[in-house]
Every structure is written in C-alpha cells, then in structure tokens.
Amino acid sequence: MNLKNIHIGSLIQSKVEELEIPTSRITKFLDCDEESVEKMYLEESIDASILLRWCKLLEFDFFRIYSGHLILYSPPAKVGRVVKHKEDTLMFRKNVYTQEVKNFIIEKIKTNQMTASEVISKYRIPKTTLFKWLKKE
C-alpha cells in the first residue's frame, strides 16, 4: 500500500472486491445510484461523511490510512518547541503507529530500500520501537 500518495477511491474499490459486496447493497446503504458509486471509485479523495459511511459498510477504518500518512510524512516538529501539559494530565503515545505503518516500514527495510538508521532519521521512529517491530517479524 502506498501511504505517500493515497487514492482512496481505488482502495475502497479493492476492499469492495475483496469482500464481494454486491453493488445493490452499496447503492442502498449509500443512498445513491451505481454511476455515483463508480465515480467514487475514480476519486482520489472523498468527503469525510461519505468516507465514514464506506467505513461502516466495509467495516474498515480508511481514516487510519490518512493517520499513517501523517505519521510518516508530516513535517518534523520545530526545534525548541515547548509543549505545556497540565499536571493532572497523562499523555499516552502507545499504539501511535497503525499496523499499516508498521508493515510499510518493515517492508522498506526487508526489501533493502532503506536501512534501519535511515528509517529512524527520516520518520523519527524511536530505535527501540523499530527494533521491537523487526524482532516480532
């Protein structure tokens, strides 16, 4: 899966084909005609409310794909940026990385497209986190 250039319509179409969902069920659920569904398959981006309906119909969180993109390709935080927290607030960063992101990174290393150090520096993934992923593979 290409997390850099997301074409959500083709991803939805792939999931529909994988699950073998009949077009009649899709049109009834989305309250639209077949032509509209076919147009959605060709769209690179889709309105969030429609995407949410697709998520429910296909029982798949397409928004995670965008979250994975943000994790991998968002600009680095500014140096010296201070984040203030309330004393009573706890912040948990566990499970920040989706399985799609983990698979993407592991695939880059396994196919020798990137080294572990390149992944760590480019995507700012902690060294211990990366090596835990690789160990589980």
Side-chain angles (χ1 to χ4, degrees), residues 10-120:
S10 63
L11 295 173
I12 289 171
Q13 185 176 18
S14 297
K15 194 67 175 174
V16 166
E17 290 168 0
E18 176 188 324
L19 297 173
E20 299 175 348
I21 307 277
T23 306
S24 59
R25 181 172 172 211
I26 296 169
T27 56
K28 186 175 180 178
F29 189 86
L30 297 177
D31 193 28
C32 64
D33 56 14
E34 277 188 52
E35 187 178 321
S36 298
V37 172
E38 293 298 324
K39 283 182 183 177
M40 283 186 237
Y41 292 156
L42 301 175
E43 295 293 328
E44 189 173 334
S45 63
I46 293 179
D47 183 77
S49 61
I50 295 171
L51 185 58
L52 182 60
R53 294 186 63 97
W54 277 109
C55 291
K56 290 176 182 177
L57 175 65
L58 302 176
E59 297 178 2
F60 184 82
D61 186 359
F62 290 101
F63 292 100
R64 281 185 164 243
I65 297 167
Y66 291 107
S67 298
H69 174 90
L70 288 173
I71 290 168
L72 294 173
Y73 299 105
S74 63
K78 294 179 182 177
V79 176
R81 185 180 195 182
V82 177
V83 179
K84 295 181 182 178
H85 304 283
K86 294 180 181 178
E87 289 179 14
D88 298 340
T89 305
L90 292 175
M91 289 189 59
F92 298 96
R93 289 191 48 97
K94 192 165 178 106
N95 298 330
V96 169
Y97 304 102
T98 63
Q99 192 58 47
E100 291 87 1
V101 170
K102 292 176 187 177
N103 293 341
F104 175 81
I105 296 294
I106 291 168
E107 186 67 25
K108 289 277 190 187
I109 293 172
K110 282 187 173 182
T111 59
N112 294 324
Q113 293 176 2
M114 296 179 84
T115 64
S117 10
E118 288 172 332
V119 167
I120 291 166

